[in-house]
Amino acid sequence: MSIWTRIKDFGPWSRAQKERDLEREIQNHLDLEAEESGPYGAQRAFGNAMLVKEEVRAAWGWPRLEQLARDVRYGLRQVRRNPAFSAIAIATLALGIGVNTAMFSAVDAVLIRPLPYVDADRLVMIWDEMSHIGFPKHNSTPAEWREWRRHNTVFTDIAATETGNVTLSGDGEPEQLPGRKVTANLWTVLGAQPLLGRVFTEEEDTQGVQVAVISYGLWQRRFGASPDVLGRTINLNDSPYEVIGVMPREFYFMPARDIDIWMPTSFSAERLKHFSWHDEHIVARLKPGVTLQQARESMAALSLRVTAHVKPPRAAVVTPLRDELAGKTQTSLIVLLCASAAILLISCVNLANLLLSRGAARRREVAVRAALGAGRGRLITQFLVESLVLAGLGAIAGLALAIPVMRFLETLVPETMAAVRLTLDWRVLAFSAAIAVAAGLTFGLAPALGGSRLALQEGLRDGGRGSSGARSHWFQHSLIVTETALAVVLLTSGVLLLQTFHHLQRLDLGIRGEKLLTFVTPLFRYRDFHQRVAFVNAELERIRAIPGVIRAGAISKIPLTGIAGTTRYVFAGQPANDTRTQDALSRVVTRDYFSTVGARLREGRFFDISDQLSQSPVAIVNESLADRNFPGRSPLGARLQFGHLGAEGYWYTIVGVVKEIRDRGVAEELKPAVYRVHDQADQSGDQPSGIVVRTAVEPASIVAAVRQAIWSVDENMPVTHIQTVDDIVARQLSAPLQNTTLLSAFALLALLLASLGLYGVLSYAVTQRTNEIGVRMALGATSNDILLAFGRRGLALTLAGLAIGVLLALVAARLMTTLFYGFRPDYSPAVTVVSLVLLAVAALACLVPARRASRIDPMIALQHE
Amino acid sequence: MTRQKNDILQGTLVLLVLKTLADGRRMHGYAITAHIQRVSADLLRVEEGSLYPALHRMAQDGWLRAEWGMTEKNRQARFYTITKAGKRQLALEEESWARLCSGVQRVLRYV
């Protein structure tokens, strides 16, 4: 018979019709037979009409589905009949499933969903291995890019990109735009196409033709989405560029989602020759059939070969693009996903326990069904369907819960990737349904097997009480140990993250963050050193005149935001090839910078008015550099020279050691740093475009005045990246804060669920063993003995869970290392705190049922059925 | 309750029903029982408990067609007729029955 007929036959309409037909048919038969042998004879000959009908129904086909529908209805009735139990079960499941659904949607968006490039999993990034100066994955150089591109055998092509922030001027306000300079082959490597126009060619790139491809966002915002934009000339850093293409809305590429302009790199011959401009992000596409491992080995060797003349030669590091885009978020998502999975597992364990306990209570009902002919398979199916009904309801409630969690998780998506709006799309719904089924089977299986077994053993025996046997105790106990252990893992991890966050928050930034306003005034138009000095001095002068401003200074990279920006140097008398000790962050500052940010001196002095271009050049170093190059000695008076200028280069004398300033970011590793005063830095490319202003008033209140002050000096000067140091700190701490908050919330949830589980099992045991308690008391046990007996059991389970959990937490902590931001949280207080909290909660969970047990009246207990 | 062993061998009921309807007759369940009992000279008796499930299964498999109609005595009844597929099935069943019989015969004759 065709499936179609089956489906047609299966519908409830045809089903009812069939039922009526069958009823009539049997009745007719009886009538016919009665004509011959009388009504009783007919009945006897026919036998059990009910049974006949049952068998005919079995012949109708798809009885399983029918059965299933009936089991589901029965399950729903069970839910209504035990509202308290059902509410607890559904709420527990809703938490577990909701949290997991939300986590999955975030993991899906960041780690699973295809990136907007062709065959994105074949894309990798290539870095310089420069661990000797503290950068195991350093930006590469144009020279290496060219050599790799020429000689490699593992990539179809290699593209380079570097920062190219520009000021767009011309019609409208001058605007600082995030831009990238990219080699012409970037688009083919990524497999990206422009929405309008074209991208630039290799010739345009090498010949330095000034063309630009703009983002969809910029096209919409600045050019009113007009197709006429193609061919238009725009001013970027005061040079004319022709707009030749517009990228589609969904296009983005490292290092940020909001790049607005792409221009040719047009590397100079000099940059392509020396292996020393570490500005490039390199992206490459693996050749078909080449594995990541092969590419790694091949590139490491190739890179050592092409940099053989550099001291020391560098290996190349190849990483999947996805890892780079997801960054630290990858670890936090995985950790949080594990945590939420643990919560779901705990929920399941709790429910399994609850159902096991309830299964015993339903023994009579099950026995009746078994006596009426339900086979063990039928009973198991029905129990499982009941569990699945609960899981389904839990999943529905969980979806409602997932949505607010998803709103929170959206903010975890890293800057390097497209912003997402997490939604309950079909992937997420499918996942949610899958875990609901898995959960239903997980927590339903043991009770189903147990329940069906009990039914057959103890059957209808009157007063069917007894214990469910050592086996089921053992099982329930191991469930408790499991969930306790999981809760301990989560709690410990949570405490470790809390410690880390606390540490990050209290971290000495080296500057005073409050009421410190920062912004950037790009200095590209002040190429002449003297003009630049004059402009910076003039703008600072005007800013200082604003009421509410205490001090103002300038620096080449706003503190806490310049992860890179290093320079080479050599100390007088030091051989020039010891790169391990000849690389430091380089910053050019104005004289009053240190006093403005509130930096502190370890020894020597800050810059002062005597440090002019005409005077002998001086430098200030940080403690890391002093400790590295002058361990146990004072660096004051030591002289050093920067870059590759040879005899031309100034010799700077160290006049001060400043206490560590977190120039690279709150949670970033400290690096040796050298500060020079702007007036004496005419040989440095670093320009003090970052302005810091210490205010007496609320920093936000003077922003308008600051703009006016700067525009009064240069009306075309954009003022960008306006933020306070407090903002910067808050933003950098937001990821650790979110991780900590989520994991702590998960951990508390786990603790709550685990203690509920313990409470449930013990109180069930008390109910179940009321008789036994009565006997014991009648034989002379005091209520204290009983209290101890039950208390001991709970305590033993808790301790076992604690021990296993602590061991597992050690493993978990290793997985989380990157979330500690270089901090080494102390393990023992975490374990102590968690143990104490857990024992306290467990004691409470045990005490209530244990006390109940100890207060049982033996007379009543003995009669207890 | 004792009863003579005249239950129909498992699997042969389909054959008997198909054969009963083979010449295109239109019969209800009771008539099919009565026919088999009469033709076999009371040697075979069809259990209603087996007949109706078998009829429904055969109708579902497309070997029989079922429809409501009136008996000679103007009673309502559900009548079954054989279909083309049913006739093909009958041929198959007869063949396998013959094989079964000859097999059993050989075993019985073997000394």
Side-chain angles (χ1 to χ4, degrees), chain A residues 145-379:
Chain A
W145 166 71
R146 190 172 64 169
E147 295 302 312
W148 291 343
R149 199 174 171 217
R150 267 188 202 158
H151 301 296
N152 89 85
T153 53
V154 287
F155 300 116
T156 54
D157 204 355
I158 305 178
T161 81
E162 61 182 27
T163 176
N165 293 347
V166 288
T167 301
L168 170 66
S169 53
D171 27 73
E173 267 187 36
E175 195 180 354
Q176 173 85 354
L177 296 177
R180 294 294 284 178
K181 290 184 176 172
V182 303
T183 53
N185 61 346
L186 176 73
W187 325 98
T188 47
V189 168
L190 297 181
Q193 300 282 341
L195 176 73
L196 285 184
R198 61 181 184 93
V199 293
F200 40 86
T201 63
E202 197 106 18
E203 289 68 46
E204 283 171 319
D205 187 5
T206 46
Q207 288 163 17
V209 179
Q210 297 197 325
V211 288
V213 175
I214 65 173
S215 73
Y216 185 88
L218 182 66
W219 179 52
Q220 296 275 319
R221 179 161 55 78
R222 184 94 187 198
F223 301 101
S226 154
D228 300 343
V229 73
L230 297 179
R232 256 174 83 170
T233 300
I234 56 176
N235 268 328
L236 297 178
N237 289 357
D238 275 357
S239 317
Y241 277 76
E242 186 192 340
V243 177
I244 56 167
V246 177
M247 290 309 287
R249 186 206 296 257
E250 57 282 357
F251 179 79
Y252 68 87
F253 188 63
M254 292 276 278
R257 61 169 79 118
D258 55 357
I259 300 295
D260 274 330
I261 294 226
W262 294 272
M263 295 157 294
T265 47
S266 304
F267 292 129
S268 64
E270 198 194 4
R271 288 184 74 194
L272 286 169
K273 194 167 134 213
H274 296 291
F275 290 75
S276 46
W277 277 273
H278 290 274
D279 298 319
E280 307 307 305
H281 276 173
I282 308 282
V283 59
R285 179 174 289 281
L286 291 170
K287 270 187 186 162
V290 173
T291 66
L292 183 62
Q293 194 49 42
Q294 286 165 341
R296 282 187 167 141
E297 284 158 12
S298 162
M299 283 306 293
L302 171 64
S303 185
L304 286 172
R305 210 162 61 238
V306 299
T307 56
H309 61 288
V310 182
K311 298 273 179 278
R314 309 158 192 150
V317 181
V318 180
T319 53
L321 177 63
R322 166 85 73 173
D323 289 2
E324 297 301 332
L325 289 176
K328 271 197 176 103
T329 311
Q330 194 162 7
T331 317
S332 34
L333 283 178
I334 290 172
V335 166
L336 289 173
L337 190 70
C338 289
S340 62
I343 295 219
L344 183 62
L345 211 56
I346 295 177
S347 311
C348 287
V349 165
N350 261 354
L351 281 179
N353 260 329
L354 271 175
L355 287 175
L356 276 175
S357 307
R358 204 169 66 117
R362 286 175 66 186
R363 201 174 307 155
R364 207 80 71 95
E365 170 205 334
V366 174
V368 169
R369 292 161 151 251
L372 290 179
R376 182 147 187 231
R378 277 291 300 125
L379 284 176

Side-chain angles (χ1 to χ4, degrees), chain A residues 670-736:
Chain A
L670 293 168
K671 295 249 186 257
V674 184
Y675 301 88
R676 281 175 281 173
V677 67
H678 182 221
D679 305 53
Q680 296 182 336
D682 60 327
Q683 290 181 338
S684 165
D686 294 335
Q687 303 170 349
S689 53
I691 312 291
V692 289
V693 182
R694 172 77 62 192
T695 61
V697 294
E698 195 46 50
S701 69
I702 62 153
V703 168
V706 165
R707 277 210 183 90
Q708 288 311 320
I710 290 167
W711 287 339
S712 72
V713 185
D714 177 349
E715 59 178 357
N716 282 321
M717 177 59 74
V719 181
T720 69
H721 297 89
I722 301 167
Q723 53 190 342
T724 65
V725 167
D726 283 343
D727 293 339
I728 299 174
V729 173
R731 203 174 48 248
Q732 293 187 2
L733 290 186
S734 77

Side-chain angles (χ1 to χ4, degrees), chain A residues 817-860:
Chain A
T817 331
T818 58
L819 298 188
F820 298 150
Y821 297 89
F823 173 66
R824 295 185 165 277
D826 207 346
Y827 202 69
S828 50
V831 170
T832 315
V833 168
V834 169
S835 309
L836 289 177
V837 169
L838 187 82
L839 286 175
V841 172
L844 205 66
C846 295
L847 195 65
V848 180
R851 269 175 73 91
R852 193 151 54 81
S854 71
R855 290 185 174 174
I856 286 173
D857 181 338
M859 281 316 287
I860 294 170

Side-chain angles (χ1 to χ4, degrees), chain A residues 27-78:
Chain A
Q27 192 53 52
N28 290 337
H29 183 106
L30 287 172
D31 292 348
L32 288 167
E33 193 148 11
E35 281 176 14
E36 294 188 8
S37 37
Y40 298 107
Q43 286 282 0
R44 211 171 58 230
F46 197 90
N48 187 344
M50 292 300 284
L51 204 63
V52 173
K53 284 186 213 165
E54 200 49 56
E55 289 196 26
V56 172
R57 281 187 204 113
W60 280 345
W62 274 9
R64 280 173 186 283
L65 208 54
E66 178 89 347
Q67 203 72 262
L68 191 67
R70 215 181 311 160
D71 284 344
V72 169
R73 277 199 298 276
Y74 187 77
L76 286 170
R77 210 178 314 145
Q78 287 286 336

